[in-house]
Amino acid sequence: MKKPSPSFIWHAGPAAWGSALIAGFGCALPLLLGLFSGHPGFFWASLGAFHAAQANPMHRLGMLRMLMLCILGACSTGLGFWAGEHYQSSFILFAAFGLLLAWLQRFGKETGKFAVSLVICLSLGQSQLGLSSLHNPNAVAVLFILGGLWVMLLAFGLRGLHGLRMWPYMPRFISIIKVLMRHSQSLPQTQWRLHALSCTLALGLCALVVNLTNVDRGYWLTLTVLATLQVGFYSSLQRALLAILGSLSVAVLLILLGHSLQSPTLMVSLLLPLIILSRAWQANHYGLFMLQSILCSVLLAECLALDWHVPEVRLLNSLTGVAVALAVALLIHGLQRWLQHRLSRQLPSTE
């Protein structure tokens, strides 16, 4: 008797140790330099290195994806840093990125993973404005690109060790568009529009709350909400509540971990093996990949922090994020029920 195929796979294929070592070395150099020098610019370089290392340089589109993550991630970080002082710009920018997130999620999990990295960069750029001596968004973007280019240099070395071309042959652009359009047609229009509304509204509200309240480390708020923005979560209120509670639980565990260590050296020594293992067994499932990326990005932003003796700010931001996510979930669920009721009333009249 043939065994049923599993519907859930954590990781597709063997562990990607080459990409894991690239991620580890790519993040280790700027983190150690930041640890010994105390300069805030090394954080942005380590963030660029981490996000560029999410692509697998051995794959056919790996180097192209790495380059796009490097360039577009730098643009997202710089835009978030620039909009951090203006609540109107932040609201419009985060709402636009929420719509972009929903639009790219429609074309499949790989494009959705790409969008998640851009939203994380945008959120960290906005929230890091008042936490360091850097005040120039162009400098932040350049430092991000330098970290990404360092990882790309390591990726070229890995391809050379395997005897591969430095830049792989690219498939035809028309073929990529056909595959993406095939993915987009599998999602119902009404469901996608509700999801797009939830992403746009949730991220816009997060930016507005962070700017108007002027809280420190607002990425705890935004990334708590981001972890709940997945296609189909708001079609069931129970699934939305479970996602919100799961996001809050992970945030609380991270806060407890940082508060118990209270040492940048220990945080860095814990983070680097976590990045290596996370990249070696990168989740194939979209939701778990989002959780991995958010977890490592938050630890990157917090590993050099010296204020872990005051965890109340981080906990308050996470609870505020839960409140925003819950309000959006209730609103979208109520709107979906209203649309279903309206459709059921129109069906008898058409018959």
Side-chain angles (χ1 to χ4, degrees):
M1 184 176 179
K2 189 177 180 180
K3 294 182 180 180
S5 58
S7 58
F8 169 76
I9 301 175
W10 169 273
H11 177 74
W17 288 112
S19 299
L21 291 177
I22 287 177
F25 283 118
C27 294
L29 179 62
L31 280 178
L32 292 177
L33 290 175
L35 185 63
F36 291 117
S37 68
H39 194 278
F42 291 110
F43 158 68
W44 299 111
S46 64
L47 185 67
F50 170 75
H51 282 282
Q54 297 306 298
N56 192 337
M58 307 303 294
H59 289 173
R60 191 177 184 185
L61 294 175
M63 295 305 297
L64 177 62
R65 183 179 178 183
M66 188 175 289
L67 180 63
M68 292 178 65
L69 281 170
C70 181
I71 296 175
L72 296 181
C75 293
S76 302
T77 306
L79 283 173
F81 201 85
W82 165 78
E85 294 181 345
H86 314 284
Y87 70 91
Q88 302 98 330
S89 302
S90 290
F91 177 78
I92 295 172
L93 191 62
F94 272 77
F97 268 73
L99 184 60
L100 177 67
L101 173 67
W103 184 66
L104 289 179
Q105 283 179 346
R106 185 182 180 185
F107 293 108
K109 63 182 179 182
E110 293 303 321
T111 54
K113 291 175 181 179
F114 184 81
V116 166
S117 298
L118 298 184
V119 176
I120 291 174
C121 294
L122 180 74
S123 173
L124 292 175
Q126 181 208 31
S127 303
Q128 288 281 342
L129 178 60
L131 296 179
S132 68
S133 57
L134 288 175
H135 300 286
N136 189 346
N138 296 325
V140 168
V142 169
L143 289 167
F144 188 99
I145 289 178
L146 288 177
L149 291 178
W150 161 237
V151 166
M152 290 192 70
L153 180 63
L154 295 175
F156 283 130
L158 181 65
R159 291 186 64 86
L161 287 176
H162 284 80
L164 300 176
R165 287 170 51 91
M166 289 295 99
W167 194 267
Y169 291 109
M170 292 290 105
R172 292 187 303 170
F173 185 71
I174 300 299
S175 303
I176 299 176
I177 294 297
K178 287 181 179 179
V179 173
L180 295 179
M181 293 303 295
R182 196 178 303 123
H183 276 289
S184 67
Q185 293 171 359
S186 62
L187 186 65
Q189 283 285 338
T190 304
Q191 183 183 1
W192 179 80
R193 287 170 182 168
L194 287 173
H195 176 63
L197 178 62
S198 67
C199 292
T200 304
L201 188 60
L203 290 182
L205 286 176
C206 287
L208 203 60
V209 171
V210 170
N211 275 93
L212 292 180
T213 57
N214 199 23
V215 294
D216 293 332
R217 306 191 183 277
Y219 47 82
W220 285 92
L221 190 158
T222 309
L223 297 183
T224 300
V225 175
L226 176 63
T228 66
L229 299 179
Q230 300 181 41
V231 177
F233 268 26
Y234 292 115
S235 59
S236 169
L237 189 59
Q238 182 180 2
R239 291 185 66 188
L241 291 176
L242 288 176
I244 293 169
L245 290 176
S247 179
L248 177 62
S249 301
V250 173
V252 170
L253 289 176
L254 285 178
I255 293 170
L256 290 175
L257 174 66
H259 182 64
S260 61
L261 295 178
Q262 293 190 23
S263 170
T265 304
L266 290 177
M267 290 286 286
V268 170
S269 62
L270 176 68
L271 176 60
L272 289 177
L274 178 63
I275 289 176
I276 293 174
L277 294 176
S278 174
R279 186 58 192 88
W281 285 283
Q282 189 179 80
N284 187 51
H285 187 268
Y286 173 77
L288 291 175
F289 171 84
M290 178 186 286
L291 187 61
Q292 277 183 322
S293 299
I294 292 175
L295 177 68
C296 293
S297 297
V298 169
L299 287 177
L300 272 173
E302 295 283 359
C303 64
L304 300 179
L306 300 175
D307 61 343
W308 271 111
H309 60 283
V310 189
E312 292 83 4
V313 175
R314 298 170 175 84
L315 182 59
L316 180 61
N317 287 338
S318 300
L319 291 175
T320 308
V322 167
V324 171
L326 184 60
V328 173
L330 292 173
L331 177 63
I332 299 300
H333 182 72
L335 182 59
Q336 185 181 33
R337 293 290 298 273
W338 177 77
L339 289 174
Q340 291 175 350
H341 179 67
R342 183 181 178 184
L343 183 61
S344 63
R345 290 183 61 184
Q346 289 177 351
L347 285 177
S349 61
T350 58
E351 294 176 356

